[in-house]
Structure formats: structure tokens, C-alpha cells
Amino acid sequence: MPTEQLINELQSFGVRLVDPRASAVGRRGGAGPSDHTPFTIDGATVMVPVHNAPAFELSLMVDKPDALGNSRISRDGVELGKVSFPLRPRFYDLTTADGIPYSKLATLHGRDVLATTVLQSCIRYQSRTKTCQFCAIGQSLAAGRTIERKTPAQLAEVAKAAVELDGVKHMVMTTGTPPGSDRGAAILVESTLAVKAAVDLPVQVQCEPPDDDIWFQRMKEAGVDSLGMHLEAVTPQVRRRIMPGKAQVSVERYFSAFAAAVPVFGRGQVSTYILAGLGDSSADILAICERLVGIGVYPFVVPFVPIAGTPLESHPTPPPAFMHGILQPLATMLRSAGLNSRDIKAGCGKCGACSALSTYERRTNA
Ligand code: SF4
């Protein structure tokens, strides 16, 4: 089976770990990939669901890894490939001078990405009628796995350690949306300034479009390398149903923000995260991708994976064939436009672990 299709299958169905302790860096809840564990298969590091309910009903199995983290994946006893698990990052064992474990401030994503949610609360998370139905930003906070506000100094300290001890190559700073018209841009600017003063590390920041496009320039001047503004769903009806609060920011506002941000950060350095499987058709998703690619925005399309405890915890993941029907033409579209995940300086599109898209790109460009 081609690697990209195996990745689609893994991300749609998840795996069962023979030894659940195999994952040193898997985790539950939070923003970004949750109830996932990273492993590397055929050179591609992917986030694969393991902890949530669907993972226990399937036939893809990963054996107990050896001391170096090497294992194999099989179905019905037939080996499909070799996999390896990342070792526990060394920076996880450190604490700040005021006693906060570094692992509560930032986590390792994929193979070499340091990821943090600078503000672990959100104006959109306060009520069930406004919250994004897929989001678990409050869960890891409630469970004590993180703290609500990471200060610039704390982030700088962790980033420096993660580079020096674990060879982290880029950093993602996302945020819940605070009250106020900047939509989190201000705390991302101050956080980036602190990280960049401490260590040479490419940074992607992620937020909703701020009300004033001047923030893109301020981000750039602070040292931000790449920007993510995430549509999540693409049609107004699906956006209203899945993310009633965030849908108040229209798709057209996202496009005007993209148009303002691309000249600041460069073609391919502005991206958006699109969750496939929430109700948008593949034609809807590909149509919006065509618009995005046309203005130099990298559309990072990932399969939706339900997170336990969220309103969508029982929503199915998209079938592998649905992902294949999007990612294959999208890889061709990206190639024609001269956009490539490899050229992104930092962030989710560069990491690629939440989707098979970069594996499709590699095959398309081979
Ligand atoms: S693609 Fe983004 S959210 Fe997914 S593991 Fe990589 S950095 Fe984290």
C-alpha cells in the first residue's frame, strides 16, 4: 500500500497500541492534535489517533517497541510497515525557577516542533452555543496538564531548552481568542519577541484574523516567520453549525486578511488549517483551496479526528478514500502553483504530521 494511503487509513481509523505506554509524547485534550501519538513511518512523522474510542475497534496494531522506539504496524498479523516512536523529550524533565514543569508550558509535536497554546482560554469557549464543537482547549487546563497563560519569559526559557536539549527545529504558538479586537495578535507578538531574543528558532503564530491588518506588520517585525489563520470549515452552513462563534468572522474576512498577510510574510508562509470530514464536500474544500493557492496561501487539509469529551466526540473521521480524493488533487494544485510544505519556515504545514498532504506532495514532485 502506498505510504500516503496508509497514512490516510491510520489517521481515519487510528491504531491500537499493544503496549499503551509505547507513546512517550502522546497526549489528550488541548488545542491541535489531541488523543494522538506521533510516530514515523517511511520517513514521514504522523500524528495518529490512539487513545479515543474508535482506536479500540480497529484492526491496525502497533507492536510493543524496542528500547530505541522501533516497532512494526500490522493488520491481521500481516506486517504493513516499520514505525518508530520519538523518545521522551529531555526538556520535559525541567521546571522553571518558579516551579512550573516545562511540559505544562509547551509540548513536542511531530518530530521536531515545539508547540504551545499561549493563552489556554477563549472567548468562544465560554458557552455551548458559541464553542467550536471540535475544540478541547479547556480540557487540558481543567485536568491540570497546562497553565492558562504562558508568559513570554517562560516561553523563551522552554524554547531555548527544547532547541539545546532536543534539537527542536521550529515552534508553533497558537492561542485561544481573548476579548479585544487584536484576537490574540498582541500576546503572540510579545511572545515571539521573547523567544527570538533567547534562541534562533523559526516561529509560526496562529490566530483569528485581527480586526486591523497592521498586526501582520507588527508580527513580522517581532520575528514571526509564518502565520496561520485557520478556517477549519469552509462553507457558511458547516461553519455556523460546527463553530457558531468563530463563524461570525466570515470566510470573506479571512480572505481579505490572507490578501493583506501574504505580501508581509511571503507566498506560502501564510497558511490555513481545514478540517475535512465535518460536512464540507470534497468539491467545496477543493474549490476553496484553489482560491487560497491562487493568492499564495498554503491550505493544510487534515482529517477531522474526534476528541473525547467534546461535543463532536462521536462524530466519525472521514474515510481514507475521502481524504485521498482531496489530497491528491491538492498536491497537484500546490505543485502547479509552486507552493511546497518544505519551503514553509515554521508551523503546521511544515510539520505536516496531522495530514498525509506532504507525503502526497513528495510523490507528486518525485
Ligand atoms: S501539524 Fe501542527 S498541530 Fe499537527 S503535530 Fe504538527 S505542529 Fe502540531
Side-chain angles (χ1 to χ4, degrees):
M1 179 187 290
T3 307
E4 62 274 23
Q5 292 193 36
L6 177 57
I7 295 172
N8 283 337
E9 207 169 307
L10 284 165
Q11 293 188 321
S12 289
F13 300 135
V15 289
R16 188 162 178 180
L17 301 181
V18 170
D19 177 5
R21 292 162 304 174
S23 163
V25 293
R27 65 203 176 81
R28 299 175 63 90
S34 302
D35 299 26
H36 283 49
T37 195
F39 59 65
T40 300
I41 180 163
D42 200 14
T45 299
V46 289
M47 295 299 286
V48 176
V50 289
H51 299 299
N52 49 4
F56 293 96
E57 298 162 9
L58 52 84
S59 57
L60 290 166
M61 302 275 286
V62 173
D63 289 349
K64 183 176 178 179
D66 63 20
L68 296 175
N70 297 315
S71 182
R72 61 172 209 137
I73 186 164
S74 62
R75 179 171 20 224
D76 302 329
V78 178
E79 181 172 318
L80 299 177
K82 306 277 187 211
V83 301
S84 65
F85 291 87
L87 300 175
R88 179 181 161 83
R90 285 186 277 183
F91 79 85
Y92 278 16
D93 295 328
L94 302 181
T95 53
T96 61
D98 46 349
I100 299 169
Y102 280 16
S103 60
K104 290 192 178 188
L105 298 172
T107 52
L108 184 74
H109 275 205
R111 189 178 54 237
D112 54 12
V113 189
L114 183 68
T116 185
T117 303
V118 178
L119 178 67
Q120 196 89 22
S121 59
C122 183
I123 47 166
R124 315 233 181 260
Y125 199 76
Q126 307 306 329
S127 87
R128 268 289 159 94
T129 56
K130 280 192 187 172
T131 184
C132 301
Q133 306 281 292
F134 48 78
C135 182
I137 194 169
Q139 285 178 210
S140 37
L141 183 61
R145 288 190 293 268
T146 187
I147 63 169
E148 181 167 3
R149 175 75 164 92
K150 290 85 174 176
T151 67
Q154 288 169 337
L155 293 173
E157 194 178 327
V158 179
K160 190 164 187 297
V163 170
E164 291 173 356
L165 298 177
D166 297 290
V168 155
K169 295 284 190 300
H170 53 123
M171 182 170 186
V172 173
M173 287 197 255
T174 191
T175 182
T177 303
S181 62
D182 68 272
R183 311 272 188 192
I187 58 173
L188 294 169
V189 163
E190 65 180 30
S191 302
T192 304
L193 277 168
V195 167
K196 290 282 181 165
V199 65
D200 183 14
L201 183 65
V203 166
Q204 184 205 34
V205 298
Q206 305 176 345
C207 62
E208 293 185 23
D211 279 6
D212 192 332
D213 293 340
I214 189 70
W215 282 106
F216 302 137
Q217 198 57 47
R218 291 179 185 148
M219 288 174 176
K220 180 75 181 168
E221 285 163 9
V224 169
D225 297 279
S226 307
L227 170 66
M229 293 185 287
H230 296 171
L231 284 164
E232 327 282 9
V234 303
T235 51
Q237 58 276 22
V238 176
R239 297 183 87 239
R240 271 197 304 275
R241 177 167 53 82
I242 299 290
M243 30 193 268
K246 195 171 161 178
Q248 288 163 7
V249 184
S250 69
V251 171
E252 289 318 309
R253 170 57 193 138
Y254 272 80
F255 269 91
S256 72
F258 291 139
V262 169
V264 175
F265 294 97
R267 269 175 58 78
Q269 301 305 332
V270 178
S271 60
T272 192
Y273 213 96
I274 295 172
L275 292 165
L278 292 176
D280 292 319
S281 68
S282 52
D284 289 332
I285 292 174
L286 284 167
I288 214 104
C289 288
E290 197 158 9
R291 273 185 78 187
L292 291 161
V293 168
I295 59 170
V297 173
Y298 183 91
F300 187 48
V301 180
V302 310
F304 164 74
V305 176
I307 301 173
T310 64
L312 289 184
E313 69 176 354
S314 302
H315 189 92
T317 51
F322 183 76
M323 294 311 300
H324 181 70
I326 295 171
L327 298 180
Q328 184 156 278
L330 177 54
T332 305
M333 202 188 289
L334 288 166
R335 182 186 177 174
S336 307
L339 297 181
N340 195 311
S341 56
R342 273 195 320 249
D343 300 329
I344 302 175
K345 293 175 188 165
C348 289
K350 182 178 188 65
C351 164
C354 286
S355 168
L357 178 56
S358 57
T359 308
Y360 278 90
E361 281 180 66
R362 274 196 295 282
R363 183 168 289 259
T364 305
N365 292 331

